[in-house]
Amino acid sequence: MSTIELTRFKVAAEKTGELLASRPGMLKDFEADRTGFVRAQLVRLPDGEWLDIVEWATPEDFAASREKGGNLPGIARFFAAIDALVTAEEGVTEDF
């Protein structure tokens, strides 16, 4: 089992390029600074909305990451491109 972070957010059309350009730096900072970070997928939805699906090894790893927020430049740059949070959820995978 792993913990999945589901974050849906809005990005203005003029900021889409910045969001995509900042993604590699955000992932690099996550890999360097976030214990338990497994992987992430960014999904483009209609009407300027995006879904970020991030996998964490444990709920504790996710909680520790949340506490750090945008503590590194690559993460802060990605967060700055986001205009509004729509939803944020956490779940656990079930392995069969």
Side-chain angles (χ1 to χ4, degrees), residues 2-3 34-37 56-67 90:
S2 59
T3 296
R34 308 293 166 107
T35 300
F37 171 71
W56 300 95
T58 69
E60 294 79 17
D61 293 333
F62 173 47
S65 175
R66 187 181 282 166
E67 288 290 321
E90 177 181 350

Side-chain angles (χ1 to χ4, degrees), residues 60-81:
E60 294 79 17
D61 293 333
F62 173 47
S65 175
R66 187 181 282 166
E67 288 290 321
K68 289 184 175 187
N71 67 322
L72 295 176
I75 299 167
R77 181 179 169 204
F78 181 81
F79 287 175

Side-chain angles (χ1 to χ4, degrees), residues 17-79:
E18 175 60 17
L19 180 83
L20 295 174
S22 67
R23 184 66 170 189
M26 187 208 87
L27 294 174
K28 182 179 175 185
D29 283 353
F30 265 36
E31 289 168 356
D33 185 60
R34 308 293 166 107
T35 300
F37 171 71
V38 177
R39 66 186 177 108
Q41 286 185 294
L42 187 60
V43 181
R44 187 188 308 238
L45 303 169
D47 301 322
E49 289 192 6
W50 296 80
L51 177 65
D52 204 357
I53 305 167
V54 183
E55 184 176 352
W56 300 95
T58 69
E60 294 79 17
D61 293 333
F62 173 47
S65 175
R66 187 181 282 166
E67 288 290 321
K68 289 184 175 187
N71 67 322
L72 295 176
I75 299 167
R77 181 179 169 204
F78 181 81
F79 287 175

